[in-house]
Amino acid sequence: MSSLYCIEAVLILDQKGNRVYANYFAPPHVQDGEESLAGSLKRQREFELEFARRTAKSEGDLQMFSGSLVRFKRFTDVVVVVVGHASANEVLVDVVFEGIAGALELLLDSGGVDMRVVQDKFDLVCLLVDEAVDNGIVLETDPATIAARVTRPPTTDPQVSLDLDKGLLGAWGFAKSKLQERLQQGR
Amino acid sequence: MSAQTYKKFESAGSSDLPDKMTIYQDCMNTFNESPVSAKRCRLLISRLLRLLSSGETFPQTEATALFFSISKLFQHQNDSLRQVVYLAIKELSGISEDVLMATSSIMKDVQNGSDIVKPNAIRALTYVLDESTAFSAERLLKNAVVSKNQSVSSAALCTAYNLLPISEVTIKRFSNEAQEAIMEVKTAPMSARSEFVSKAPHITQYHALGLVYELKRNDKMALMKLIQQCSDGFVLKNQFARMELMKIVNDLIHRDTQLFAQFQQLFNVWLQDRSSLVSLETAKTITTFAIAHPRLVSPDLFATTVNVLRKLMNEFNCGAKLGAVKVVNKMAMVSPEKVAVCNPELESLLSMSNKELATFAITTLLKTSNEDNISNLIGRITEFVHKVSDDFKITVIEAIRTLSLKFPKEWKVIIKFLIDVLKNSEGAAKFKSSVVEAIIDIVAFVPQSKELALESLCDFIEDCEYNEVLVRVLHLLGKEGPSTSNPSLYVRHIFNRVVLENSIIRSAAVIALSKFALTKNDPTLKDSIVSLLNRISNDTDDEVRDRATISLKLLGSEHSFAKDLVQSKYYYDLNSLESKLTTYISTNEDSFKTPFDVSQIRKFSEDEMKAIELKHKQDRVFKSTDNDESGNRDAIAPATVSTNKRKDNDTYKGADLHEHEQDLLESKYADELSGMEEFKEFGKLINSSKVTPLTESEAEFVVRAVKHVFKDNIVLQFNITNTLVDVALDNVSVVCSAEDPENSRLEELFTLPIERLAPAGESACYVAFKKSTDTVMKGFLNTLHFTTRELNPDTHEPFEDDEGFQDEYEIDSLFLNAGDYIKSSFVGNFEATFDQLPNEEVAVYNIQEDLSLQEVIDKLVLNTSCLPLSNTQFAPTDSSSHVLKLFGKSALMGTKVALVIKMIKSSKGVALKAQCRTEDATLCADIVNNLM
């Protein structure tokens, strides 16, 4: 009855309820019944569209929706949603949401969260949610700690250093070793 | 991939995704390049993740190929690439094969990876391990659990938690390390970016506690010890950990209620916890326990809890508010007077912009309100209800509907409110029909409200656009209108519908009109109706014409049953009608030459029907208190929630399965008995009692009895279950001897024994009596007689040479009391009816046993089989006295029976004064003298 699995999904939707980001959780290694949303894409889409329809007028709230506890907040043109289990502590869902929303603001620091930023920095969003919730277990709720665990994309590629001082022979040797490597890989 | 979708991506902006195959090709090419470009790979994986997140998926072969090429990226030592590689592995593990091959690379990272990727690597183990390989990670996980780094330790604990279902044995080996992790204080390593400073450390404690609980959940002593250690001082620094501990406490006290007292201290401290997360969880734990076991919670603790809830409702955080108001709402269902102190806080929530909160507050307020403030409250609700969406409106209307049963005297205010909402509030058909249903309810159970309600409904149908609502109202007008003081008023309104509306409504109106022709107090009406119907019989629509013609025919007919067809006096038991029809169709012995015999179906008069409905509603109010337990999915919540998976327990949608079963049971008895030759001459079954158990449910032979009353006979049915494994019982019979044989007015006719009762079999034995007077009260001493035959375990047949062994088995005695001759019934105005009844008897009881008022009430209701009215079936929790009002009808004569029972609870027990009034003198004394 008491379980660590208490978050059902983290979603970022556009105004019409279309997905920008979606992650539904289910306990791994458990044969799941039909109950959970995680198993059915169709049900997930229904859930998202229905949610967008019902909350169209609201800026942000904590409420019951479709048998789950839902905390959401509207940013420029997207809405960030944390779906908690119906029996979860209301404050817990609230705290998890604040953690994720706070970390989003810290990481996507280009003047607010909107659709374009979420899409462009999708890797950051995925990492961030992964650091906040693991398979529905609350992993971390402090925005700063979450943000600190997310790596930025590499800015430059380390170049293959071809030291020309060693002369042509060196270059030939390098080329040969590369060629052998490829041949060994079978191509 | 069609050309169309391909083009879509070409034309759109840069943040749109290329199609699936392009991404797949790009990934395959780039990941296999050498040297690997970390930047480009991370970008591609980011695209891949977007694709998967949008709901796209890959066929298994392609997913496996992707997984394989991604695992090659392990060669590249770049943290920011590695982190997304783990994400991709996690996403692909569900759809690709051979995920095990990544295990060794991941394990290498777990050992030697940097601080950043180590936790990711540990958590990725969840996806690549299975039953057979989980043990190989034991040492790694154990080392990680004891790590000083909070993220590493948490990751290991979560992975262990996730792996529990497949490798509990492995995980158990480091339960000691997990337990140490609860006590140990860990921190996140200071990262390079020092502007981020953690404000909520020690979350590892939460994960460790969750894991340890799972490992020891069946060891009560170990859990007690754990709680002992953790509740000391400031061991648990993390608020989630304290919440988790409270959940463990909750689990324990529900397993062993006596433990509650031991945690008293902990409750008191944690109710005042600085984190609202913890105080809310504590309040939840106490209240759910208090609802289940009210006696075990001290009034002091309860008062503190209520105070904490009030404080939480005042907090800024909407989570705390919602949590608290939900708890209060749940309490209000069971004991509204205890949470009435929260009213000011609840009222302030009404103005919140969060409509969920406001709706919860309203439904709670409606429960805690009393007759004095109800009209004031309804005024406030009126303002509120015009501003919210339909779902919330329906929830509020449902709450008001229950209220009308609770305060029948306040019907005027309630009806006015409903009418106002109906006329002035925008809403879809579902909302309008919920309002109309609520009004219909009030008309049915509060007869005084009839005229006002009907008149307002007449106005409403002048401009109503929903067919189904209109039809419902027309039916009500036809049913109730003829018995009002001025029926002709309604005729005009109904006829207007015939002139103006579509054919569906016209047909409903015709039926309603024809009922007015039978009005008793205005005979002139019949001629007008006939002339109206004559006009309608030229209607353009077939159905309308047909209905008008048949109505005219019936009205003109001399037969008395023609009138019954126009305005029926009784209702069929729909459940048994349905089951009978199904059997009729499925058996079909002579291709339907024998017509269906409708006389077998039970019929209810109007009052009986209402009694049944009211009973269902009362049960519902009571049941709704415990189905919110542990917050299962169909919790009582405002109906924002109405998608497929939710069952609306809040709203009345007809009898549920359990009730159907009970209803069916009675017609089943009637079937069984009427099907037996022996009982043919007894005539029709008049009444059957509820099932009374005569043995413990664990006994070797379980016996349950049902009493059947016929006109001149009594039949006792004993359902006997043989729980023995390899012994059959032969010739099973029950010997009933009257308690005082001298003046018995019953004469035993015969016993129908059970020939053979196989192991685990259940069968019925009947004993029939003839009674000399109408109502006979009697106690029976019962003994079970049977011959045991040992069974051959191979053939399940008795051994040839086994003669059997005669035996007896004593079972409890059975009482035939006044309640067995009574059927519960409904009456609108109890007081007036009570005063009119001619015979009166009074009896006084003094019950020494330690029973609560509620237990006494339940017993009285059961023994008299009457229907409790005016909401008196619930004992007040704040007072030691109560007045119970019961109403029923004699099953034999159909005469009325009304009881007023006053009760007072004192230290010596419960004192009862029962006042019984009946139409028929014989029953009166019998009832009052047989109450307990």
Side-chain angles (χ1 to χ4, degrees):
Chain A
M1 58 177 280
S2 159
S3 158
L4 291 183
Y5 300 117
C6 48
I7 303 296
E8 286 180 334
V10 177
L11 313 171
I12 302 179
L13 305 174
D14 74 0
Q15 272 144 331
K16 293 190 187 110
N18 295 317
R19 278 181 187 186
V20 185
Y21 169 85
N23 199 350
Y24 288 83
F25 306 109
H29 304 299
V30 176
Q31 287 306 314
D32 208 24
E34 287 163 20
E35 268 297 291
S36 95
L37 279 168
S40 152
L41 180 65
K42 190 167 152 270
R43 290 249 295 282
Q44 293 174 6
R45 292 298 300 138
E46 278 170 12
F47 180 89
E48 288 155 18
L49 292 172
E50 183 73 3
F51 174 81
R53 198 175 66 74
R54 298 228 189 199
T55 56
K57 284 182 208 148
S58 177
E59 272 309 298
D61 245 339
L62 174 70
Q63 64 176 49
M64 296 298 295
F65 172 77
S66 185
S68 302
L69 208 56
V70 179
R71 173 79 167 91
F72 64 99
K73 187 177 168 193
R74 221 163 271 286
F75 292 87
T76 358
D77 55 356
V78 288
V79 52
V80 178
V81 192
V82 170
V83 185
H85 202 273
S87 65
N89 189 308
E90 287 78 4
V91 182
L92 175 125
V93 177
D94 201 54
V95 172
V96 172
F97 176 85
E98 294 297 340
I100 291 177
L104 272 175
E105 279 172 344
L106 281 175
L107 277 173
L108 310 180
D109 43 10
S110 55
V113 181
D114 63 29
M115 178 125 85
R116 176 59 63 91
V117 178
V118 172
Q119 284 178 337
D120 285 350
K121 303 193 173 175
F122 200 74
D123 46 346
L124 293 185
V125 177
C126 290
L127 286 174
L128 180 157
V129 174
D130 187 56
E131 292 297 336
V133 183
D134 176 77
N135 288 307
I137 303 176
V138 181
L139 202 56
E140 182 55 76
T141 57
D142 178 53
T145 318
I146 297 172
R149 293 260 327 123
V150 175
T151 54
R152 310 284 174 135
T155 40
T156 50
D157 266 333
Q159 286 299 308
V160 184
S161 55
L162 254 185
D163 197 354
L164 291 175
D165 289 350
K166 283 186 184 164
L168 213 57
L169 204 61
W172 162 246
F174 180 77
K176 199 171 79 175
S177 71
K178 276 287 157 195
L179 196 67
Q180 268 170 349
E181 200 177 291
R182 295 263 170 123
L183 283 171
Q184 273 161 8
Q185 279 175 6
R187 53 181 70 216
Chain B
M1 190 62 53
S2 72
Q4 217 179 358
T5 41
Y6 196 77
K7 267 195 183 138
K8 200 176 93 194
F9 287 117
E10 245 176 14
S11 57
S14 69
S15 32
D16 266 315
L17 221 47
D19 74 84
K20 188 160 114 178
M21 282 332 284
T22 318
I23 292 184
Y24 175 71
Q25 285 303 333
D26 279 355
C27 287
M28 293 304 281
N29 290 336
T30 317
F31 298 160
N32 287 321
E33 256 173 30
S34 174
V36 172
S37 157
K39 188 182 173 190
R40 200 163 143 60
C41 286
R42 174 141 164 164
L43 187 71
L44 275 172
I45 291 181
S46 167
R47 281 195 189 150
L48 180 69
L49 290 172
R50 255 180 84 193
L51 189 75
L52 293 171
S53 168
S54 71
E56 285 282 0
T57 180
F58 286 99
Q60 201 177 41
T61 44
E62 290 174 19
T64 313
L66 263 178
F67 189 86
F68 185 67
S69 55
I70 284 176
S71 61
K72 279 188 180 164
L73 297 177
F74 275 111
Q75 292 166 17
H76 197 284
Q77 299 296 336
N78 178 315
D79 284 351
S80 65
L81 177 60
R82 192 61 59 84
Q83 229 179 356
V84 287
V85 165
Y86 280 123
L87 273 187
I89 284 181
K90 179 177 159 182
E91 294 297 328
L92 288 172
S93 65
I95 47 176
S96 81
E97 280 181 326
D98 299 331
V99 289
L100 272 172
M101 68 187 172
T103 315
S104 66
S105 310
I106 295 174
M107 289 202 172
K108 212 188 274 170
D109 262 4
V110 173
Q111 283 169 300
N112 305 321
S114 69
D115 272 355
I116 278 285
V117 297
K118 220 179 202 180
N120 299 81
I122 294 169
R123 287 195 289 123
L125 286 175
T126 305
Y127 310 100
V128 295
L129 294 178
D130 62 21
E131 280 97 337
S132 54
T133 50
F135 70 92
S136 60
E138 183 196 335
R139 197 179 49 82
L140 290 180
L141 284 176
K142 193 191 268 186
N143 287 341
V145 166
V146 297
S147 161
K148 285 282 170 211
N149 182 332
Q150 171 182 319
S151 310
V152 173
S153 181
S154 278
L157 289 163
C158 289
T159 304
Y161 194 86
N162 287 330
L163 290 174
L164 266 179
I166 57 169
S167 64
E168 196 169 342
V169 189
T170 311
I171 311 292
K172 272 219 164 104
R173 294 208 196 105
F174 51 91
S175 68
N176 280 339
E177 282 79 2
Q179 202 145 2
E180 278 162 30
I182 302 176
M183 308 299 166
E184 214 167 319
V185 172
K186 301 187 185 210
T187 50
M190 288 306 274
S191 81
R193 268 169 289 162
S194 53
E195 78 258 40
F196 300 146
V197 179
S198 170
K199 282 187 265 23
H202 319 307
I203 196 157
T204 314
Q205 292 185 324
Y206 170 55
H207 302 129
L209 205 52
L211 181 64
V212 170
Y213 169 66
E214 283 299 327
L215 291 174
K216 308 207 162 167
R217 64 187 315 160
N218 294 323
D219 185 351
K220 203 171 90 185
M221 286 326 289
L223 288 180
M224 285 296 289
K225 201 174 149 215
L226 181 68
I227 296 169
Q228 202 80 50
Q229 286 169 339
C230 294
S231 52
D232 252 11
F234 297 95
V235 174
L236 294 183
K237 299 215 169 18
N238 184 277
Q239 51 172 349
F240 292 98
R242 290 196 295 265
M243 176 196 82
E244 186 63 23
L245 190 72
M246 192 40 78
K247 286 195 168 169
I248 299 175
V249 170
N250 185 34
D251 184 25
L252 274 180
I253 56 178
H254 279 100
R255 276 196 250 165
D256 182 355
T257 49
Q258 296 310 317
L259 291 176
F260 186 81
Q262 290 194 32
F263 298 123
Q264 191 95 2
Q265 177 66 24
L266 184 72
F267 288 140
N268 272 320
V269 177
W270 281 13
L271 272 177
Q272 312 295 346
D273 197 276
R274 63 186 183 283
S275 160
S276 53
L277 184 73
V278 183
S279 51
L280 175 64
E281 193 62 43
T282 314
K284 268 189 187 178
T285 304
I286 297 173
T287 44
T288 27
F289 188 79
I291 289 170
H293 315 279
R295 288 187 193 183
L296 297 175
V297 182
S298 72
D300 277 352
L301 182 66
F302 196 85
T304 328
T305 313
V306 172
N307 268 331
V308 168
L309 288 170
R310 292 175 67 181
K311 210 173 78 197
L312 287 172
M313 279 192 274
N314 277 328
E315 267 194 31
F316 178 70
N317 178 321
C318 65
K321 278 190 170 127
L322 183 64
V325 77
K326 271 164 87 177
V327 176
V328 174
N329 187 32
K330 213 156 85 180
M331 286 300 305
M333 283 179 204
V334 213
S335 40
E337 68 291 332
K338 280 189 188 160
V339 287
V341 285
C342 302
N343 282 358
E345 280 77 17
L346 288 169
E347 275 174 33
S348 69
L349 289 182
L350 288 189
S351 50
M352 292 290 295
S353 64
N354 184 336
K355 295 298 169 224
E356 179 96 18
L357 265 177
T359 312
F360 260 118
I362 285 187
T363 46
T364 316
L365 275 173
L366 285 174
K367 286 175 195 129
T368 60
S369 56
N370 51 41
E371 291 186 15
D372 306 326
N373 58 20
I374 187 79
S375 56
N376 187 0
L377 178 63
I378 287 186
R380 296 208 50 179
I381 296 176
T382 318
E383 289 166 31
F384 173 81
V385 89
H386 290 302
K387 287 185 279 189
V388 294
S389 67
D390 274 15
D391 306 317
F392 291 118
K393 280 183 193 160
I394 293 173
T395 319
V396 173
I397 299 295
E398 289 302 331
I400 299 251
R401 190 169 163 180
T402 357
L403 193 73
S404 65
L405 292 179
K406 192 170 144 200
F407 300 121
K409 288 200 186 97
E410 297 298 316
W411 63 270
K412 239 181 201 151
V413 192
I414 297 174
I415 283 271
K416 271 197 188 129
F417 166 77
L418 290 172
I419 299 289
D420 173 67
V421 176
L422 193 59
K423 282 184 188 157
N424 302 329
S425 193
E426 294 292 311
K430 201 175 161 208
F431 160 66
K432 295 274 180 192
S433 85
S434 86
V435 182
V436 170
E437 289 297 326
I439 295 179
I440 292 176
D441 244 23
I442 299 179
V443 171
F445 295 111
V446 191
Q448 306 93 299
S449 68
K450 200 194 281 179
E451 304 217 345
L452 177 69
L454 292 190
E455 276 170 35
S456 321
L457 284 175
C458 281
D459 286 346
F460 166 68
I461 56 172
E462 292 292 326
D463 50 26
C464 170
E465 50 188 311
Y466 304 112
N467 283 352
E468 61 258 62
V469 181
L470 256 172
V471 170
R472 197 83 178 84
V473 173
L474 285 172
H475 174 76
L476 180 76
L477 289 178
K479 196 172 127 209
E480 303 287 346
S483 55
T484 53
S485 58
N486 186 10
S488 58
L489 175 81
Y490 306 111
V491 174
R492 188 171 54 85
H493 282 284
I494 298 173
F495 191 67
N496 278 347
R497 294 305 103 209
V498 180
V499 181
L500 299 167
E501 300 281 358
N502 62 35
S503 58
I504 298 173
I505 295 165
R506 288 207 301 276
S507 351
V510 170
I511 296 296
L513 269 185
S514 58
K515 290 181 181 166
F516 279 88
L518 299 180
T519 308
K520 292 213 174 54
N521 44 12
D522 192 357
T524 56
L525 212 54
K526 181 169 177 179
D527 298 338
S528 334
I529 300 278
V530 169
S531 72
L532 287 178
L533 286 175
N534 272 323
R535 274 166 66 184
I536 302 170
S537 43
N538 296 323
D539 195 281
T540 50
D541 186 87
D542 301 0
E543 176 72 22
V544 182
R545 262 197 327 268
D546 288 357
R547 287 195 186 193
T549 316
I550 199 165
S551 298
L552 277 173
K553 201 87 186 168
L554 288 172
L555 291 176
S557 162
E558 295 297 315
H559 287 293
S560 61
F561 69 81
K563 293 204 168 57
D564 286 348
L565 288 177
V566 177
Q567 174 78 294
S568 61
K569 296 267 185 323
Y570 47 77
Y571 302 85
Y572 283 107
D573 176 359
L574 291 182
N575 298 325
S576 78
L577 180 62
E578 188 190 353
S579 71
K580 280 277 167 53
L581 280 172
T582 332
T583 22
Y584 178 68
I585 291 173
S586 58
T587 47
N588 183 19
E589 277 157 0
D590 47 0
S591 37
F592 302 119
K593 283 213 178 81
T594 3
F596 179 69
D597 183 11
V598 80
S599 65
Q600 288 175 5
I601 313 293
R602 277 199 306 165
K603 290 182 217 165
F604 299 115
S605 72
E606 175 120 26
D607 282 348
E608 281 171 349
M609 198 68 192
K610 279 185 186 172
I612 291 168
E613 261 179 48
L614 188 63
K615 208 177 231 163
H616 287 176
K617 274 174 212 202
Q618 288 170 350
D619 287 350
R620 190 166 307 274
V621 172
F622 201 68
K623 262 192 242 154
S624 62
T625 57
D626 43 64
N627 56 14
D628 201 17
E629 282 292 273
S630 70
N632 51 21
R633 292 213 156 231
D634 38 25
I636 311 282
T640 23
V641 194
S642 50
T643 47
N644 40 16
K645 63 179 167 184
R646 207 185 108 92
K647 287 176 257 157
D648 270 295
N649 279 323
D650 251 1
T651 54
Y652 188 78
K653 292 223 179 95
D656 62 22
L657 209 63
H658 178 66
E659 284 155 1
H660 278 304
E661 270 169 20
Q662 265 188 358
D663 288 347
L664 278 178
L665 204 60
E666 227 165 289
S667 45
K668 196 187 104 199
Y669 290 144
D671 282 357
E672 277 175 8
L673 291 176
S674 64
M676 300 172 99
E677 274 310 311
E678 290 84 352
F679 301 124
K680 277 266 159 69
E681 58 185 278
F682 291 178
K684 207 168 150 21
L685 176 66
I686 292 171
N687 201 9
S688 295
S689 74
K690 291 209 174 64
V691 178
T692 326
L694 294 184
T695 55
E696 302 279 318
S697 55
E698 304 87 40
E700 286 175 335
F701 314 108
V702 181
V703 184
R704 288 170 305 154
V706 185
K707 298 162 271 184
H708 302 288
V709 176
F710 292 85
K711 192 168 176 299
D712 296 311
N713 301 82
I714 301 282
V715 172
L716 303 179
Q717 174 184 348
F718 297 93
N719 293 325
I720 303 161
T721 314
N722 177 10
T723 59
L724 297 178
V725 184
D726 37 36
V727 174
L729 307 178
D730 274 13
N731 222 347
V732 187
S733 64
V734 176
V735 174
C736 306
S737 47
E739 268 179 338
D740 46 347
E742 286 80 37
N743 53 14
S744 173
R745 283 174 298 175
L746 284 178
E747 177 196 341
E748 185 170 338
L749 293 177
F750 54 82
T751 306
L752 294 181
I754 308 165
E755 275 182 27
R756 151 102 26 110
L757 190 57
E762 180 176 351
S763 198
C765 157
Y766 298 91
V767 184
F769 296 90
K770 187 170 175 57
K771 57 187 165 101
S772 49
T773 50
D774 275 346
T775 54
V776 177
M777 316 295 145
K778 189 103 253 160
F780 297 97
L781 304 170
N782 307 310
T783 333
L784 204 57
H785 286 245
F786 49 84
T787 313
T788 53
R789 299 286 294 273
E790 216 158 303
L791 291 187
N792 183 336
D794 300 327
T795 57
H796 296 292
E797 286 296 320
F799 292 108
E800 289 290 315
D801 51 347
D802 184 14
E803 291 284 290
F805 180 69
Q806 285 235 351
D807 206 353
E808 287 181 13
Y809 187 80
E810 193 116 340
I811 51 180
D812 291 354
S813 39
L814 183 66
F815 296 95
L816 196 60
N817 53 27
D820 296 323
Y821 300 93
I822 293 174
K823 278 185 171 174
S824 61
S825 179
F826 177 81
V827 68
N829 192 338
F830 180 82
E831 277 74 17
T833 318
F834 186 78
D835 291 340
Q836 281 164 8
L837 291 173
N839 305 296
E840 182 177 302
E841 287 283 343
V842 176
V844 177
Y845 289 80
N846 215 336
I847 303 163
Q848 309 280 343
E849 293 165 76
D850 181 29
L851 292 175
S852 74
L853 281 184
Q854 189 61 55
E855 283 162 335
V856 174
I857 293 173
D858 291 346
K859 212 165 167 190
L860 286 172
V861 173
L862 191 72
N863 279 351
T864 58
S865 17
C866 285
L867 181 74
L869 289 174
S870 317
N871 220 31
T872 53
Q873 73 275 31
F874 298 118
T877 29
D878 56 344
S879 137
S880 58
S881 64
H882 184 67
V883 179
L884 177 67
K885 293 172 185 167
L886 295 169
F887 191 77
K889 277 186 177 172
S890 156
L892 292 169
M893 279 81 69
T895 51
K896 291 178 191 146
V897 175
L899 279 157
V900 172
I901 304 170
K902 295 182 178 140
M903 50 188 88
I904 287 183
K905 184 174 167 63
S906 67
S907 53
K908 286 176 201 134
V910 183
L912 297 183
K913 184 189 172 200
Q915 203 178 359
C916 177
R917 289 197 172 188
T918 55
E919 247 176 315
D920 173 40
T922 50
L923 263 178
C924 201
D926 292 336
I927 293 172
V928 283
N929 295 324
N930 274 296
L931 278 181
M932 292 309 277

